[in-house]
Amino acid sequence: MPYARVLCCAVGVLLSLAAPPAAAGEDDWSVVPSAGTGTGRPYVYAEGTPGTVLQDTVSVLNPGARPLTVRLRGADADSTARGGLTVRTAGRPTDTGAWIAFAEEREGHRAPAGAVSVRVPARTRADVPFSVSVPPGATPGDHPGAIVASSGGRSSAVRVRLRVGGPTLSALTVEHVTLHGGRISYELVNRGNTVLAPKLAVRADGVLGRVLDRPPRALPVELPPGRRVTLTEPWHDPPTLDAVDVRLTVTAAGGARATASTPVRFVPWGGLAGVGCGLAALTALLVVRRRGRRTTDDGACAPARTEAARTDAARTEVARTEVARTEVARTEAARTDAEWTGAVS
């Protein structure tokens, strides 16, 4: 479709709304994908091959009692650290946000612009057409973006999911699996060119068998191409003592599948520390008691040893006295014999 025709359609259509509650304030405005004749849409979806121009409409609703001026612009989308989608606010858009254009009055005619201001009367809805021009060299796959509306210091956004025609690849990897504080931490990386809504299965095998088995469940994340996100999985009742291999399996639409594992050793260090302290205390108590017994035994034997020493000394003295007496008796006997021999002579 020629781009000029798209721009001719870029006229705000003002439709009266039912009277809102009296409490509606100036900050109650919102921006949503235009429902047209159907039901409300959660986001804008567009699909085309490189070189085509796509068109759609967003609606700005002003339930307040005063007119409202809203600034609309295109923006690129990115994933948050937890896997949600967020709008890039820093720098100029380089992907889908740069391909979004609105019609703006310039010197009496309408021209494409990356941003436009729209005045919305009170209790009115303004339908604002926009176009997405897919460049000829666009990479096939998903290109998330957004239309951001700002007014009165507040911003709101409508998600734009653009798929560029061509070969698509669904691929991902699971990296940096760790376990700490009762939580399994891991990273998911989208290696393909499509937005992925992954599912996770967790399994852990110990020495004596399986200790954890969780079937696949959808993760509350949406991962754009080339993006990385860090997630955690709780494990509230791990084994106390075991050697476990924790394995994560992630799947997504389009045949994407990846696994990663990490070995974990569960050791009750607190209990071992308590046992070690108890053994140390018991050893110290036994040593103190043994030393006390030695001191007591030495104190009790000291009087007996003193008495024995005294007895030995007395016995020695008696023996010495007996020896002296014997020597005196021998001397006297010798003297008597000598005198008697002299007399006889």
Side-chain angles (χ1 to χ4, degrees):
M1 179 179 294
Y3 191 72
R5 184 178 177 184
V6 175
L7 295 180
C8 291
C9 297
V11 180
V13 180
L14 305 181
L15 302 176
S16 298
L17 299 177
E26 296 182 359
D27 292 337
D28 292 337
W29 64 269
S30 60
V31 58
V32 296
S34 294
T37 57
T39 58
R41 297 177 292 169
Y43 51 82
V44 173
Y45 179 80
E47 183 174 355
T49 58
T52 60
V53 178
L54 310 171
Q55 55 184 321
D56 209 317
T57 307
V58 293
S59 298
V60 181
L61 295 85
N62 178 18
R66 297 180 181 180
L68 178 70
T69 299
V70 178
R71 184 75 171 171
L72 299 173
R73 63 180 177 87
D76 294 336
D78 203 350
S79 59
T80 64
R82 293 295 181 182
L85 285 182
T86 183
V87 176
R88 295 183 188 175
T89 57
R92 297 175 61 87
T94 58
D95 200 69
T96 304
W99 306 341
I100 296 175
F102 305 89
E104 185 178 39
E105 288 284 350
R106 294 180 182 175
E107 299 179 354
H109 66 277
R110 294 184 178 274
V116 66
S117 294
V118 177
R119 185 172 176 80
V120 186
R123 300 183 179 90
T124 305
R125 183 189 77 199
D127 292 338
V128 184
F130 68 93
S131 63
V132 181
S133 300
V134 184
T139 304
D142 292 337
H143 296 259
I147 293 178
V148 181
S150 303
S151 178
R154 185 172 70 88
S155 296
S156 183
V158 172
R159 293 172 54 190
V160 177
R161 296 189 61 174
L162 172 65
R163 171 161 289 190
V164 178
T168 59
L169 173 65
S170 297
L172 55 82
T173 57
V174 186
E175 303 175 2
H176 303 139
V177 181
T178 60
L179 178 65
H180 181 71
R183 303 193 71 87
I184 304 171
S185 176
Y186 60 98
E187 293 183 3
L188 293 182
V189 185
N190 188 341
R191 302 295 183 180
N193 60 4
T194 62
V195 175
L196 299 179
K199 294 182 178 180
L200 172 69
V202 184
R203 189 182 71 185
D205 295 317
V207 175
L208 300 179
R210 189 157 298 174
V211 295
L212 181 64
D213 191 0
R214 294 178 182 173
R217 67 176 183 87
L219 295 174
V221 301
E222 197 169 85
L223 197 58
R227 302 298 189 268
R228 178 187 298 268
V229 62
T230 301
L231 302 173
T232 61
E233 183 76 8
W235 191 4
H236 301 299
D237 54 347
T240 303
L241 179 62
D242 204 346
V244 177
D245 181 69
V246 180
R247 179 175 296 273
L248 306 183
T249 302
V250 181
T251 57
R257 179 184 177 86
T259 61
S261 62
T262 183
V264 182
R265 301 293 182 265
F266 293 97
V267 179
W269 295 112
L272 293 179
V275 172
C277 292
L279 291 176
L282 180 59
T283 302
L285 179 61
L286 292 176
V287 170
V288 171
R289 287 186 176 181
R290 182 172 296 177
R291 290 180 178 177
R293 288 177 179 176
R294 288 179 179 177
T295 303
T296 302
D297 293 342
D298 292 343
C301 294
R305 291 175 181 175
T306 303
E307 185 65 26
R310 291 176 180 176
T311 303
D312 292 340
R315 290 177 178 176
T316 302
E317 186 65 26
V318 170
R320 289 178 180 177
T321 302
E322 291 295 331
V323 170
R325 289 178 179 177
T326 303
E327 291 295 331
V328 171
R330 288 179 179 176
T331 302
E332 290 293 332
R335 186 179 298 173
T336 302
D337 291 341
E339 293 177 354
W340 184 78
T341 301
V344 172
S345 301

